[in-house]
Amino acid sequence: RTMRRLLEARVNVLALDSDVAVFSSPYPHLHGAFRRFALVAAFDTKGGFANVNVGIVYFNNATAGGPVHSIMLEMERRVEAALAMPPPQKVPYGSLPGLFWDQNLFNKALLSAMANHALSLPDPAGRSFLGGGEWSRTHAAELRRLGDVLKTWRRGEAAAPPGLSVRPPWFPHRAEYRYWSLRRAAVGADASLWRPVPEERILLAPPWLVSADNAFGHRYKHWLYG
């Protein structure tokens, strides 16, 4: 909610989880080669339904009422809806992340925007990315395709900055990134209704900008950037 309010106040926000180490300022790159992306996050093979990890996130000139803003509103709406539910008598451990885990919430709200349809919470048994509901079941193939970043998101390349050690083949001098253009936003924080808006792009950063064991690059070789 705090980040959403800062976005509405036209403040660009860089938010990092406590397990993130910063070795140099990312702003020359965020304001340079990647300045046209409204949201920068990280690819993560374990990040969620669209493989997006929001442990590192940067809002850059995202528009109030736009797609990125709507994703944040939809995350809030889902948390509020979950808190308003009667406490269940028995709660399977696997269902808790489906209600309150930020990775789960963000990825589900993002997929809702990409699919132009609200994907429901909670997940059955907290495990299936398809969520409940007949629409999700009948569009299972489409949702899997949208969630497959490496096959469906657009690909780009960016050269590692001078002075950064690079050790091919794990991390080449020109490394890939992925991005998706969102052209719809929720109406009144209700992701069942989407309206066309000017597009905003979401970037999954190249490994020399955000390096992690489950991110782009060779698994468990992220430390070779330095």
Side-chain angles (χ1 to χ4, degrees):
R1 179 169 292 178
T2 298
M3 289 194 293
R4 187 262 301 167
R5 288 176 174 173
L6 289 170
L7 183 157
E8 291 170 349
R10 303 294 294 169
V11 176
N12 293 337
V13 179
L14 175 63
L16 308 174
D17 277 358
S18 59
D19 59 352
V20 174
V22 180
F23 293 96
S24 63
S25 173
Y27 289 114
H29 313 294
L30 295 174
H31 296 163
F34 304 124
R35 66 187 180 278
R36 296 180 180 176
F37 294 93
L39 174 64
V40 178
F43 173 78
D44 187 343
T45 57
K46 297 181 179 180
F49 314 105
N51 297 123
V52 178
N53 188 318
V54 291
I56 299 172
V57 63
Y58 180 62
F59 296 106
N60 184 35
N61 297 323
T63 303
V68 172
H69 180 233
S70 290
I71 290 173
M72 304 305 293
L73 286 172
E74 178 61 8
M75 288 178 66
E76 285 186 47
R77 186 189 71 81
R78 294 184 184 217
V79 170
E80 291 170 355
L83 291 173
M85 293 170 58
Q89 296 299 314
K90 295 182 179 180
V91 181
Y93 172 78
S95 68
L96 295 178
L99 295 173
F100 300 110
W101 185 33
D102 59 345
Q103 299 284 87
N104 183 302
L105 288 167
F106 180 87
N107 276 269
K108 187 65 73 69
L110 172 60
L111 270 181
S112 295
M114 294 168 66
N116 192 26
H117 190 93
L119 306 179
S120 60
L121 273 174
D123 300 332
R127 299 183 185 279
S128 172
F129 86 94
L130 298 177
E134 185 62 29
W135 191 93
S136 295
R137 287 189 288 272
T138 58
H139 292 78
E142 177 186 354
L143 295 178
R144 289 194 180 92
R145 181 183 61 81
L146 290 175
D148 192 336
V149 169
L150 299 180
K151 290 183 179 180
T152 61
W153 288 45
R154 298 187 68 177
R155 183 181 186 276
E157 288 188 353
L164 183 68
S165 62
V166 181
R167 293 174 174 82
W170 300 293
F171 294 109
H173 285 276
R174 293 193 61 83
E176 72 169 313
Y177 60 83
R178 300 285 174 150
Y179 67 95
W180 186 274
S181 297
L182 290 175
R183 296 180 174 86
R184 292 181 179 271
V187 176
D190 180 359
S192 65
L193 301 170
W194 296 88
R195 60 183 175 85
V197 294
E199 76 169 23
E200 290 183 337
R201 292 183 177 183
I202 294 177
L203 170 73
L204 300 184
W208 54 259
L209 182 60
V210 178
S211 189
D213 55 358
N214 292 312
F216 291 128
H218 196 284
R219 186 178 176 88
Y220 300 130
K221 296 289 186 179
H222 58 286
W223 56 273
L224 291 175
Y225 265 134

